[in-house]
Amino acid sequence: MSPNTGAISSDAQPLSGMGQGAIALGLGIIVVTACWLSTGASLGLFFGPMLLLPLAVAPLCVGVKPVQAVVISALLTLPVALAWLVGLQETGISLQAWPACVLLLISLVVATGLIARATRSVFLATTLTLAWLTWPVWLSPALSNGRGERAVGWLTSAHPLLAINGLLQPLGIWSQQSIAYRLTSLGQDVEYALPGAKWAIVVHLLLAAGIGLIGSVFAVNGARPYNPSPPNVAKKSA
């Protein structure tokens, strides 16, 4: 504070990397605890963090370096990954599904964080991610024709929530749950099949890498100092 005016100084330092990491870890614990308490070891334990962590990672990644964004994303997902391991053990599902579930989560969170970093917009990053995750609800009614069903095949093959459901089918099919059944046309008017996880992981990892590379290029170009050449001054004739 200024000793004369009592105003907050404009030289206040942003959170350190360690501070942002601690916040990310804490948010991950809060999210997975809330999901566990509300849904138990069910499909909701896996879907909940996939929908909530993108909302948490975007504000933490604006204005940081790409490596910091990846570290923040990893710390945010760490508590969820550990809880998922315990949840799989309780449900009796093979632990072979755990690495793929974690990779799907990390790739999605990293991609969201890097979008926020590259665009410097929390709103844009979270809107794009949530629109992608929720298209089976808002877009599926428009996909009931022949062309739409072909598009469904492409869209479902890379969708992280559907890929996780494909790995965890003993926990139920999401579109057959009471709430989801009333919200989506998938499995009713629009036929679809739950995808495997490999294609979804590859798509999101490539997306994250591409966004990180583009963001780094723009950051480097933006950081270059502008040094205009001095104007040519005509020599005065003697």
Side-chain angles (χ1 to χ4, degrees):
M1 290 189 131
S2 170
N4 297 326
T5 63
I8 296 175
S9 170
S10 60
D11 296 331
Q13 296 296 319
L15 282 173
S16 65
M18 186 174 295
Q20 288 175 313
I23 292 174
L25 188 62
L27 287 174
I29 293 172
I30 291 172
V31 166
V32 76
T33 301
C35 291
W36 188 289
L37 293 177
S38 59
T39 67
S42 67
L43 200 57
L45 177 64
F46 295 84
F47 275 28
M50 292 286 289
L51 291 166
L52 295 175
L53 289 192
L55 301 177
V57 74
L60 294 174
C61 291
V62 173
V64 304
K65 297 179 180 179
V67 173
Q68 290 176 307
V70 173
V71 171
I72 288 170
S73 301
L75 290 172
L76 188 63
T77 57
L78 177 60
V80 178
L82 296 177
W84 283 1
L85 184 61
V86 176
L88 287 176
Q89 289 177 329
E90 287 197 4
T91 58
I93 296 176
S94 172
L95 296 182
Q96 292 180 353
W98 181 75
C101 290
V102 173
L103 281 175
L104 284 166
L105 177 65
I106 290 178
S107 61
L108 176 70
V109 173
V110 169
T112 304
L114 290 176
I115 291 174
R117 177 193 173 273
T119 61
R120 294 185 176 273
S121 173
V122 174
F123 175 79
L124 180 60
T126 54
T127 299
L128 288 175
T129 301
L130 291 180
W132 166 237
L133 290 176
T134 59
W135 74 256
V137 173
W138 59 268
L139 184 60
S140 60
L143 300 175
S144 58
N145 53 44
R147 292 183 179 179
E149 289 182 357
R150 287 192 292 272
V152 166
W154 288 95
L155 291 170
T156 56
S157 64
H159 196 270
L161 292 177
L162 298 181
I164 281 185
N165 198 177
L167 294 167
L168 307 176
Q169 292 189 45
L171 297 180
I173 307 301
W174 79 277
S175 60
Q176 297 175 0
Q177 308 300 314
S178 58
I179 296 178
Y181 188 81
R182 295 192 294 268
L183 295 176
T184 184
S185 298
L186 293 185
Q188 303 173 55
D189 300 326
V190 181
E191 294 184 2
Y192 81 107
L194 291 173
K198 292 181 181 179
W199 180 236
I201 293 172
V202 169
V203 166
H204 289 87
L205 288 177
L206 289 176
L207 177 64
I211 295 169
L213 179 61
I214 293 172
S216 298
V217 169
F218 277 102
V220 170
N221 290 336
R224 290 176 180 172
Y226 175 63
N227 295 320
S229 57
N232 294 326
V233 180
K235 293 182 179 181
K236 296 182 178 180
S237 56

